[in-house]
Each structure stands twice: as C-alpha cells, then as structure tokens.
C-alpha cells in the first residue's frame, strides 16, 4: 500500500512540475521546477529498484546539468519583451512541431498495440547474480565485459572537451594587461605576491 501511495505521489509531482517548467514565465523558476521534477523521477526509479539511475538523476542531472542551466539563465540578460514577441512569431511553427510529435506518439502506440517487436532472446550473460545489487551488477558489466567500450567513450568525451576549449579560446592581444604569463606566475615568491602601499591622501595609488 505504501508503495502505491509513493508511486502516485512521485508521479503526480513529476507531471505537475513538468507542466510548471513549461508554464512558468520566469526562466529561473522553470529551472527550479525542472530540478523538482528530477528529484521526483529519482524517487520513481528507487521504487522500481533502479537505484543507480536514481543516483544518476540526482548527481548528474540535478547536481551538474540543472545547476549549469540555472547559472547560465541567471547570468544572461534576458529581455522578456523580446522573448514574448519571439513566442508569438514562432507560435505556428511550434504548433506544427507539436502536431508532428503527437502523430509520432499515436503511431508508436498503434505499433505497440499491434504487437511487440522481437528483439531476440537474452543469453543470460548479463543476468544479475544472486544477492547482487543493481549497482554491483552494472559495475561488473561496465568494468568487466564492456571495459574497453567504457574507456573509448571516456576518451571521446575528453577529446570533445579539449576541442570545445580550443574552439572557444581567444588569445589575448599583444600588449594587453590581461595577458597571462604562466612562467612568471610559477616563479613568483610569497613575498612578491602583495605589496603594501601607504599613499598620501588624494594622491591615489601607484600601479
């Protein structure tokens, strides 16, 4: 009984928070509702025994992605009047996309009602061991059977991160005061870090 009540509680909060993400006029409020939706979705994952996915939702999506969204939205200078004008301008396109998604959803439901797809019979190689938790089973697969694929995925993400840094890096102009000299910073001693000045009143500070 408690599981049923928890399911309806989490599911209702997920749907309500997802609706508020769309309906909120303030982007910051939308991100906060999105975080609430992630937390309740994690609760649903715990109910079905997928605690690893629940932790991913909290650690990765809430702790990293949603917080990044929140910082970006708060730092942007958003013109709400221009946003509303763009919404009215792109409203027909939005309706067309919504109709396409609705048609795809109905097509998927019709295909599901016609009969499930035969994807093959599992060989039992990835079966969860007796007394083994969900996280332990996933760890055995990732760091055992799929270790090379896991390492390749990590290398691809590393290359993508380095590529993004290279593409967005802009070298400073010659003579700019903001130019960074790494060798000079490393060679600096503690007594050279700060210099005490005692300027006369009204004379300013010598730079």
């Amino acid at each position: 009984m408690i599981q049923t009540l928890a399911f309806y509680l989490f599911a209702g909060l997920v749907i309500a928070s997802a609706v508020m993400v769309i309906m909120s006029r303030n982007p910051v409020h939308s991100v906060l509702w999105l975080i609430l939706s992630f937390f309740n979705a994690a609760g649903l994952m715990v109910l079905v025994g997928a605690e690893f996915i629940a932790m991913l939702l909290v650690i990765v999506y809430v702790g990293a992605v949603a917080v990044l969204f929140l910082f970006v939205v708060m730092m942007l200078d958003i013109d709400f009047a221009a946003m509303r004008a763009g919404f009215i301008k792109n409203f027909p396109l939005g309706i067309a996309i919504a109709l396409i998604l609705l048609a795809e959803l109905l097509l998927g439901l019709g295909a599901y009602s016609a009969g499930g797809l035969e994807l093959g019979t599992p060989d039992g190689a990835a079966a969860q061991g007796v007394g083994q938790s969900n996280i332990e089973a996933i760890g055995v697969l990732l760091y055992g059977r799929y270790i090379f694929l896991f390492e390749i995925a990590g290398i691809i993400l590393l290359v993508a991160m380095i590529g993004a840094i290279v593409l967005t890096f802009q070298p400073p102009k010659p003579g700019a005061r903001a130019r960074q000299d790494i060798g000079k910073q490393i060679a600096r001693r503690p007594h050279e870090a700060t210099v005490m000045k005692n300027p006369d009143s009204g004379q300013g500070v010598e730079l």
Side-chain angles (χ1 to χ4, degrees), residues 90-165:
N90 298 319
F91 184 75
L93 178 61
I95 291 296
I97 295 176
L99 292 176
I100 293 174
L101 293 177
L102 179 61
E104 292 179 350
L105 180 60
L106 294 177
L107 180 62
L109 292 176
Y112 177 78
S113 301
L117 296 176
E118 295 294 336
L119 299 178
T121 303
D123 56 0
Q128 185 172 341
V130 179
Q132 192 178 45
S133 66
N134 189 12
I135 298 177
E136 291 175 345
I138 293 176
V140 169
L141 285 177
L142 284 181
Y143 298 105
R145 183 176 180 181
Y146 301 107
I147 180 63
F148 294 109
L149 297 177
F150 185 76
E151 293 292 338
I152 291 173
I155 293 174
I156 293 174
L157 292 175
L158 177 62
V159 172
M161 181 182 67
I162 296 175
I165 295 174

Side-chain angles (χ1 to χ4, degrees), residues 32-134:
L32 294 177
W33 284 112
L34 181 64
I35 292 175
L36 179 62
S37 178
F38 283 149
F39 270 114
N40 289 278
L44 290 175
M45 293 299 104
V46 172
L47 288 178
V48 298
E51 61 272 10
F52 180 75
I53 300 179
M55 288 194 300
L56 285 182
L57 281 172
V58 175
I59 297 174
V60 177
Y61 284 93
V62 176
V65 177
V67 174
L68 178 63
F69 287 168
L70 186 60
F71 284 161
V72 171
V73 168
M74 293 179 67
M75 287 187 296
L76 291 177
D77 186 13
I78 300 176
D79 189 357
F80 292 99
M83 183 187 301
R84 295 189 184 94
F87 175 79
I88 298 299
K89 179 181 178 181
N90 298 319
F91 184 75
L93 178 61
I95 291 296
I97 295 176
L99 292 176
I100 293 174
L101 293 177
L102 179 61
E104 292 179 350
L105 180 60
L106 294 177
L107 180 62
L109 292 176
Y112 177 78
S113 301
L117 296 176
E118 295 294 336
L119 299 178
T121 303
D123 56 0
Q128 185 172 341
V130 179
Q132 192 178 45
S133 66
N134 189 12

